[in-house]
Amino acid sequence: TSLAKNKVVKAHRMTKENGRQSNHSAFTQSVADLFASGQDAHKAGHLQTAATLYRKVLDQEPNHANAWHGLGLFYYQTRAFKDATSCLEKAVEYSPLNSIVLNSLGATLCAAGLYEKAEPYLQKAIELQANNVEALRNIGSIRFAQEKYTDAISYFQTALSHAPNHTELLKATGNAFLHLGQPDEALVFCEKAL
């Protein structure tokens, strides 16, 4: 696009003015543009296009954590959990303190049924960001799958304290209360979810 070309030209001028080699800035901008286009395609639901763009970013910058994350999410969304795990492990390698990336890896491992392997990533995500609603929900879901309903409710309610109208959390909490044999409590959460 002309906007992208303008950015590259501007980066070239700024670099030249600073006496640095201009090709590096143009290259970096190109990676940034590719990644931004990948994110836009991903948000628009054009998953194959997004994956192609993320791969192009990684061809130029193999340690781009966000491109690994985006590619991992693509594989997660297409239910290719093994490939998703590989990409998300790379994202964590290059960005080990990113709670969103850690949660994505944990969620992928959960989806693959690898709860014990998922939990440390989810716990680390919460340690880094106490209000990480999705990581709290994912650990709650692990506890639910383990039939530890009281623990599941604790995680779900902590998540709800940060996102009180989160429909899926309200349903999950109600379901956990139902499994505990507390239909009245279950009904309260299920009604809120409507």
Side-chain angles (χ1 to χ4, degrees), residues 122-130:
L122 297 170
Q123 291 290 0
K124 182 68 173 176
I126 294 166
E127 179 185 315
L128 292 167
Q129 182 187 4

Side-chain angles (χ1 to χ4, degrees), residues 8-9 11-12 15 21-31 60:
V8 172
V9 169
H12 174 75
T15 307
Q21 186 179 7
S22 63
N23 288 341
H24 178 70
S25 289
F27 171 77
T28 302
Q29 187 63 50
S30 175
V31 168
Q60 294 182 40

Side-chain angles (χ1 to χ4, degrees), residues 19-172:
R20 296 187 202 138
Q21 186 179 7
S22 63
N23 288 341
H24 178 70
S25 289
F27 171 77
T28 302
Q29 187 63 50
S30 175
V31 168
D33 287 342
L34 283 170
F35 179 70
S37 295
Q39 284 187 307
D40 291 343
H42 208 146
K43 289 175 188 170
H46 305 293
L47 300 183
Q48 290 295 337
T49 300
T52 298
L53 290 164
Y54 294 142
R55 286 186 194 101
K56 286 182 180 183
V57 169
L58 293 168
D59 286 344
Q60 294 182 40
E61 195 175 306
N63 62 348
H64 196 292
N66 290 327
W68 282 113
H69 183 239
L71 191 57
L73 292 177
F74 159 75
Y75 284 123
Y76 175 86
Q77 289 173 300
T78 57
R79 304 194 59 78
F81 299 128
K82 185 176 179 183
D83 291 331
T85 299
S86 295
C87 290
L88 292 168
E89 284 174 340
K90 283 285 200 185
V92 168
E93 177 183 337
Y94 296 122
S95 188
L97 300 178
N98 184 323
S99 68
I100 294 169
V101 171
L102 289 161
N103 177 63
S104 295
L105 179 53
T108 298
L109 293 166
C110 283
L114 302 171
Y115 302 127
E116 288 182 21
K117 191 172 178 186
E119 191 163 342
Y121 294 107
L122 297 170
Q123 291 290 0
K124 182 68 173 176
I126 294 166
E127 179 185 315
L128 292 167
Q129 182 187 4
N131 65 347
N132 188 322
V133 171
E134 294 306 314
L136 289 162
R137 180 176 78 141
N138 287 328
I139 293 180
S141 296
I142 290 172
R143 295 293 180 270
F144 186 90
Q146 295 168 333
E147 299 181 4
K148 297 178 181 176
Y149 303 118
T150 302
D151 290 344
I153 289 168
S154 177
Y155 279 100
F156 293 150
Q157 287 184 322
T158 301
L160 282 168
S161 72
H162 302 293
N165 298 317
H166 192 296
T167 304
E168 295 305 313
L169 277 169
L170 290 166
K171 289 178 187 176

Side-chain angles (χ1 to χ4, degrees), residues 5-17:
K5 287 179 185 174
N6 288 340
K7 287 180 182 179
V8 172
V9 169
K10 186 177 178 182
H12 174 75
R13 280 190 206 132
M14 286 174 42
T15 307
K16 197 170 185 178
E17 289 170 9

